[in-house]
Amino acid sequence: MSDNQPYLISANDKRRFACFPAAVVVFIVNEEEKILLLSHPKRQGWWEVVNGALEAGETILEGALRETREEAGPEVRVRPLGIFHAHSFHFDENVRYMLSLFCLMAYKGGLVQPGDDMAGSQFRWWSWQEISDEKLKIVIPPPGQEWLLQRAIELYRLWKDQDVILQPESELSLTRKKRKYELEKGGPHASDD
């Protein structure tokens, strides 16, 4: 393992794990089997799904839900259906490898109102046919992953009626307790809400 790659060592000092920057890429699909796409104001003519970096100490599910609130709006209600793809890629000269974790969410309602770094964005629900017919320019990090739009719709059909627990409440409460402790101590998450 390269010494340039950050790593963690297990509590018993027996395992060394590489640390990778990670991003969540969130596909939100509604009952009409349309995907929510946002048109970033700084990228005229380009559309994208909700996406962003996973924060330190955050689970994949927490990151996907936070990015959904930040980019699609705090009133948007979604039901997580699962992680359906993962991809590692070269980001830049400082971030040699990054992980993208692709999440599928079922839209359950609420006003879509882009915020955070997507403030001022237009949004629209698109069917796969409309996306294909209009030859939309789509940003899905990393580039070349447009095929995942169709895969998201296919998996939505398979998973929409399943009721599974993707992250046990015990894991969520453990993460919340850790963050509360760090906030009280002024630790790494002291600036979190």
Side-chain angles (χ1 to χ4, degrees), residues 6 17 61 89 116 174 189 193:
F17 298 94
L61 181 56
F89 65 101
D116 194 43
L174 228 157
H189 299 290
D193 296 319

Side-chain angles (χ1 to χ4, degrees), residues 61-192:
L61 181 56
E62 288 172 328
L65 292 170
R66 176 187 48 76
E67 285 294 340
T68 297
R69 282 190 309 274
E70 289 177 359
E71 294 193 0
E75 294 180 31
V76 169
R77 294 184 325 278
V78 296
R79 184 171 63 89
L81 298 178
I83 306 298
F84 72 99
H85 188 68
H87 190 88
S88 60
F89 65 101
H90 175 79
F91 186 77
D92 66 17
E93 56 278 349
N94 288 336
V95 180
R96 297 189 60 199
Y97 295 102
M98 181 167 191
L99 296 175
S100 281
L101 305 161
F102 296 81
C103 308
L104 181 59
M105 303 277 188
Y107 176 72
K108 302 309 283 179
L111 176 67
V112 176
Q113 187 173 359
D116 194 43
D117 62 337
M118 295 303 283
S121 295
Q122 295 179 5
F123 69 90
R124 181 174 157 193
W125 294 95
W126 295 84
S127 70
W128 174 245
Q129 191 63 50
E130 291 169 328
I131 291 169
S132 297
D133 290 349
E134 296 196 29
K135 296 181 177 33
L136 284 186
K137 294 189 283 185
I138 307 232
V139 177
I140 298 176
Q145 302 301 305
E146 295 80 9
W147 63 273
L148 288 167
L149 293 160
Q150 185 173 12
R151 177 67 49 88
I153 292 169
E154 292 166 352
L155 290 172
Y156 173 82
R157 289 177 190 141
L158 290 173
W159 294 349
K160 68 181 177 181
D161 296 324
Q162 296 180 15
D163 190 20
V164 295
I165 297 172
L166 297 177
Q167 183 170 322
E169 184 59 34
S170 60
E171 287 182 27
L172 285 171
S173 59
L174 228 157
T175 303
R176 288 184 194 120
K177 286 178 187 173
K178 178 181 174 231
R179 282 204 176 156
K180 182 179 178 194
Y181 173 80
E182 289 174 344
L183 286 169
E184 290 169 357
K185 299 295 182 195
H189 299 290
S191 63
D192 286 359

